[in-house]
């Protein structure tokens, strides 16, 4: 048997993987789970093959990559399992699906019988784990998986319609398992507790250090060129894989022919030995008969010797042809190794380009968030500006109404003052006439005021037409002080009685009308008349 080098195995695995991503719906969570399990299986198988070939020895149960491979396979087989109800409760196990292999492939009956005979296995899960290990040691795991995957009508009893074993990802994983035929494993399961083991995937074994990746950014044109080169390399890998398969088939045919010729040569040698023994026996029996038949025997021996020489010549030519084919295979493996190195370089470049694109996307997202925040701030400022404008318009309207209202009041007050002046003048004339008539004095002389206070005018001193007290001084026409002064004028702060503070006018310091003395009343009316605004 011939073994694949690590580079050729990785190239064959990349050739066996079609564009599975296009088969899965990115919005379907079950499809994403299948794709993730398939990728983990790919990484696990690839890492196991490369590490095993670099190790260069038979693998045992304690080998970490081998343990992780069984954990990943267990997760793949558990995906989409139907729950079966029994008298003990609900049960989900892939052991029932693995038992189908015995029905479809009779040679798998030996593994199934060995699993059932193992002591210490009490659960279907433990028997399924033991079956995987025995199939790997027998190098038939890929063939058995393909057998049950091709019979989806039987698998539907154990799996849901969207399970990994029922979709294309299961067929891809079965194809990837072919590469495990190049490794040798010797697993002892008598001391292992396969029933209670917890299968946890260690992702740290497959995560790559991103610190060594290239930090240079490339343009969209370079990314397109890299993708085109990647597609070209994948197509070239598929062609090389097909060529390798053809050469493998030819080598198998040559090996069968070589085996057949070797068997024929062995038969011929046995026949020659038998003939030689017959000749010796004939010589012993009768020398006469030997002499008579010697020529015939020699001819027959010559024919046999000629046939032997021809067979030896054919064998040499066949060995030469095999050597040439092996040299061609070595050259093809070298080319596939170079292609694998080139493919890894392209992968690193693609990863660096994806990281740069992701960083740019994060920056754009941050800028968009800032723009949204600024737009919200602008809207708030605009609403505040509109509100301030409305308040300003209301204030201006209130000011205009205030001026209009008090302008009209001032005009009405001026008219009323003029009317009161005329009435006062008439009343003064009538009063003087009445006083002159009573005192028999001529009209126009100064009347005398009695010493006794009049009713309603409780003054203690003689009063004349006007009197007031402003800030401790006498103002106006009065010459005496009112002894009953108890209130102050809101304009001049003078103290007066209630009869002297009957007039009301709005003051500059107050919007509402206030009580003012007679003197301030006439002064304010004159001021408002001269400047009505």
């Amino acid at each position: 048997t011939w073994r694949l080098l690590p580079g050729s195995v990785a190239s064959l695995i990349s050739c066996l993987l079609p564009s599975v991503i296009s088969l899965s719906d990115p919005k379907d969570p079950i499809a994403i789970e299948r794709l993730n399990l398939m990728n983990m299986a790919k990484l696990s198988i690839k890492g196991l093959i490369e590490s095993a070939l670099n190790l260069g020895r038979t693998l045992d149960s304690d080998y970490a990559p081998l343990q992780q491979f069984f954990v990943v396979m267990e997760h793949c087989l558990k995906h989409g399992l139907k729950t079966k109800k029994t008298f003990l409760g609900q049960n989900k196990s892939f052991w029932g699906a693995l038992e189908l292999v015995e029905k479809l492939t009779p040679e798998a009956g030996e593994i199934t019988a060995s699993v059932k005979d193992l002591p210490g296995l009490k659960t279907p899960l433990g028997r399924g784990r033991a079956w995987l290990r025995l199939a790997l040691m027998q190098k038939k795991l890929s063939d058995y998986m393909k057998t049950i995957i091709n019979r989806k009508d039987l698998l539907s009893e154990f799996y849901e319609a969207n399970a990994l074993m029922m979709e294309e990802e299961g067929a891809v994983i079965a194809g990837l398992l072919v590469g495990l035929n190049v490794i040798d494993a010797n697993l002892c399961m008598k001391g292992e507790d396969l029933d209670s083991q917890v299968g946890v995937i260690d992702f740290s074994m497959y995560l790559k250090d991103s610190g060594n990746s290239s930090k240079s950014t490339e343009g969209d044109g370079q990314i397109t060129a890299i993708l085109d080169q990647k597609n070209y390399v994948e197509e070239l890998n598929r062609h090389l894989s097909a060529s390798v398969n053809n050469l493998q088939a030819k080598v198998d045919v040559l090996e069968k022919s070589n085996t057949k010729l070797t068997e024929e040569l062995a038969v011929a040698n046995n026949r020659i030995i038998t003939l030689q023994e017959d000749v010796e026996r004939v010589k012993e029996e009768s020398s006469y008969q030997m002499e008579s038949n010697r020529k015939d025997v020699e001819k027959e021996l010559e024919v046999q010797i000629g046939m032997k020489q021809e067979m030896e010549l054919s064998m040499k030519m066949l060995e030469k042809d095999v050597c040439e084919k092996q040299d061609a295979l070595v050259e093809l493996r070298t080319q596939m190794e170079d292609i694998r190195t080139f493919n890894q370089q392209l992968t690193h470049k693609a990863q660096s380009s994806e990281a740069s694109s992701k960083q740019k996307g994060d920056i754009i997202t941050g800028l968009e968030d800032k723009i949204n925040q600024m737009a919200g701030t602008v809207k708030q400022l605009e609403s505040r500006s509109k509100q301030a404008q409305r308040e300003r318009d209301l204030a201006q309207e209130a000011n205009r109404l205030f001026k209009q209202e008090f302008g009209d009041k001032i005009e009405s007050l001026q008219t009323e003052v003029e009317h009161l002046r005329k009435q006062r003048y008439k009343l003064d004339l009538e009063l003087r006439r009445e006083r002159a008539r009573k005192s028999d004095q001529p009209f126009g002389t100064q009347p005398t005021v009695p010493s006794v206070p009049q009713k309603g005018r409780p003054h203690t001193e003689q009063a004349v037409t006007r009197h007031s007290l402003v800030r401790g001084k006498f103002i106006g026409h009065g010459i005496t002080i009112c002894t009953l002064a108890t209130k102050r004028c809101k304009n001049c702060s003078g103290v007066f009685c209630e009869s002297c503070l009957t007039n009301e006018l709005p003051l500059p310091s107050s919007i509402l009308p206030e009580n003012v003395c007679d003197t301030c009343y006439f002064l304010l009316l004159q001021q408002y008349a001269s400047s009505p605004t």
Side-chain angles (χ1 to χ4, degrees):
T1 60
W2 58 286
R3 298 180 181 273
L4 296 177
L5 296 177
S8 62
V9 172
S11 300
L12 284 175
I13 291 175
S14 64
C15 292
L16 290 172
L17 274 178
S19 300
V20 180
I21 297 177
S22 62
L23 299 177
S24 300
D25 186 5
K27 297 181 180 180
D28 186 6
I30 305 300
I32 295 174
E33 290 178 2
R34 293 198 304 267
L35 181 59
N36 291 339
L37 288 173
M38 187 199 69
N39 290 331
M40 286 305 304
K42 174 187 174 183
L43 292 174
S44 175
I45 294 170
K46 180 180 178 182
L48 177 60
I49 293 173
E50 291 180 354
S51 61
L53 294 178
N54 292 331
L55 188 63
R57 64 178 177 82
T58 303
L59 305 181
D60 53 14
S61 300
D62 296 330
Y63 192 58
L66 185 60
Q67 294 177 354
Q68 283 298 306
F69 163 74
F70 288 127
V71 171
V72 173
M73 285 300 301
E74 181 178 337
H75 281 274
C76 292
L77 291 172
K78 285 182 178 179
H79 184 265
L81 273 175
K82 291 183 179 179
T83 303
K84 291 189 175 182
K85 296 182 179 180
T86 62
F87 65 95
L88 295 177
Q90 295 183 350
N91 183 21
K92 290 179 67 174
S93 175
F94 55 89
W95 168 242
L98 296 180
E99 284 184 312
L100 294 175
V101 181
E102 182 180 3
K103 300 178 182 179
L104 301 175
T105 305
E107 61 182 354
E110 182 181 354
I111 295 180
T112 306
S114 300
V115 169
K116 293 179 180 179
D117 294 336
L118 283 175
L121 294 179
K122 300 178 181 179
T123 63
L125 179 61
R127 288 191 286 271
R129 290 171 174 172
W131 189 94
L132 289 175
R133 285 160 173 76
L134 291 176
L136 179 67
M137 287 191 292
Q138 198 180 14
K139 297 185 179 181
K140 292 288 186 178
L141 183 58
S142 175
D143 297 334
Y144 295 158
M145 293 300 293
K146 288 180 180 178
T147 301
I148 59 175
I149 286 175
N150 291 333
R151 294 299 303 272
K152 292 183 173 57
D153 54 338
L154 299 178
L155 283 179
S156 60
E157 180 183 354
F158 302 95
Y159 290 95
E160 301 289 346
N162 56 358
L164 183 139
M165 297 293 289
M166 302 292 291
E167 296 291 342
E168 294 295 332
E169 288 84 351
V172 173
I173 294 176
L176 293 174
L177 294 175
V178 177
L180 297 178
N181 295 336
V182 303
I183 64 175
D184 297 323
N186 186 12
L187 309 177
C188 181
M189 291 173 287
K190 290 184 179 180
E192 285 189 84
D193 186 8
L194 298 178
D195 291 328
S196 60
Q197 287 183 0
V198 179
V200 179
I201 300 176
D202 186 6
F203 291 96
S204 62
M205 297 180 62
Y206 311 110
L207 295 176
K208 296 183 179 179
D209 186 10
S210 59
N212 298 326
S213 62
S214 176
K215 297 182 179 179
S216 61
T217 58
E218 299 180 0
D220 293 336
Q222 292 178 344
I223 293 175
T224 304
I226 290 172
L227 293 175
D228 293 337
Q229 292 176 359
K230 180 181 178 183
N231 294 331
Y232 170 74
V233 170
E234 290 179 352
E235 186 66 22
L236 184 60
N237 284 338
R238 285 194 289 270
H239 287 296
L240 290 175
S241 177
S243 300
V244 169
N245 292 332
N246 293 331
L247 291 175
Q248 179 64 30
K250 292 181 179 178
V251 169
D252 293 337
V253 172
L254 291 175
E255 287 179 351
K256 291 180 181 179
S257 301
N258 188 13
T259 304
K260 185 177 180 180
L261 291 174
T262 304
E263 292 176 354
E264 292 179 354
L265 181 60
V267 171
N269 289 332
N270 293 332
R271 186 177 179 184
I272 291 172
I273 294 171
T274 304
L275 291 174
Q276 290 177 352
E277 291 177 353
D278 292 340
V279 169
E280 292 295 331
R281 188 176 64 255
V282 169
K283 286 182 179 180
E284 292 176 356
E285 290 178 355
S286 175
S287 59
Y288 178 76
Q289 292 180 355
M290 186 178 65
E291 287 294 333
S292 61
N293 297 325
R294 182 175 56 85
K295 293 182 180 180
D296 296 333
V297 173
E298 287 179 354
K299 289 181 180 180
E300 186 175 357
L301 286 173
E302 288 177 358
V303 171
Q304 294 295 333
I305 291 171
M307 291 175 62
K308 181 179 178 181
Q309 290 177 352
E310 290 179 358
M311 291 175 65
E312 290 177 352
L313 181 61
S314 299
M315 287 292 297
K316 290 180 180 179
M317 293 177 65
L318 182 60
E319 290 176 355
K320 182 179 180 181
D321 191 12
V322 170
C323 292
E324 291 178 355
K325 294 295 188 297
Q326 289 179 350
D327 294 337
L329 284 174
V330 172
E331 185 177 358
L332 285 174
R333 289 168 185 167
T334 305
Q335 293 177 0
M336 291 174 69
E337 183 67 24
D338 296 337
I339 292 171
R340 175 176 173 273
T341 304
F342 182 67
N343 192 7
Q344 289 179 350
Q345 293 176 356
L346 292 179
T347 303
H348 290 315
K349 291 182 179 180
Q351 290 177 353
S352 62
S353 300
E354 290 176 358
S356 175
S357 300
K358 184 177 180 181
Q359 184 178 6
K360 291 181 179 179
D362 294 338
I363 294 173
I364 292 171
T365 303
L367 292 176
E368 289 178 353
D369 294 338
K370 290 183 179 179
I371 290 171
N372 294 331
Q373 293 177 359
M374 293 176 67
T377 305
V378 169
K379 289 182 179 179
Q380 293 179 359
L381 292 175
E382 288 178 354
S383 62
R384 291 180 181 176
S385 176
K386 291 179 180 179
Q387 185 177 1
Q389 184 67 27
R390 288 195 296 269
E391 292 177 355
R392 177 185 171 189
D393 294 339
L394 292 174
Q396 289 179 354
E397 182 66 19
N399 189 16
R400 185 183 65 79
L401 294 174
F402 176 78
K403 290 181 178 180
Q404 182 179 359
E405 180 182 359
F406 284 96
D408 296 339
K409 289 184 177 181
I410 290 170
E411 290 178 359
S412 64
L413 290 173
Q414 287 178 350
T415 305
E416 185 178 357
V417 166
E418 291 295 331
H419 180 67
L420 291 174
R421 280 182 181 177
K422 291 178 181 180
Q423 288 182 354
R424 180 183 177 187
Y425 180 72
K426 291 179 180 180
L427 292 172
D428 286 340
L429 289 177
E430 292 178 356
L431 181 60
R432 289 179 183 180
R433 289 174 184 170
E434 184 67 25
R435 288 176 180 174
R437 185 179 62 79
K438 290 182 178 181
S439 61
D440 296 331
Q441 292 183 359
F443 179 75
T445 61
Q446 185 68 27
T448 60
V449 180
S451 59
V452 179
Q454 299 179 0
K455 185 179 180 180
R457 302 283 290 180
H459 297 168
T460 59
E461 295 184 4
Q462 185 178 5
V464 290
T465 57
R466 302 290 293 170
H467 65 274
S468 64
L469 179 63
V470 181
R471 297 178 185 175
K473 297 180 180 180
F474 290 97
I475 298 176
H477 306 285
I479 59 175
T480 41
I481 302 173
C482 178
T483 59
L484 298 179
T486 58
K487 293 187 179 181
R488 289 184 180 274
C489 175
K490 297 296 183 179
N491 185 44
C492 63
S493 299
V495 181
F496 301 92
C497 63
E498 292 182 359
S499 61
C500 297
L501 292 173
T502 57
N503 299 314
E504 293 183 351
L505 276 179
L507 302 178
S509 62
S510 176
I511 298 176
L512 299 176
E514 300 289 347
N515 293 324
V516 295
C517 62
D518 295 339
T519 304
C520 293
Y521 180 76
F522 289 104
L523 290 175
L524 290 173
L525 288 177
Q526 291 177 1
Q527 291 178 6
Y528 291 157
S530 61
S531 58
T533 59

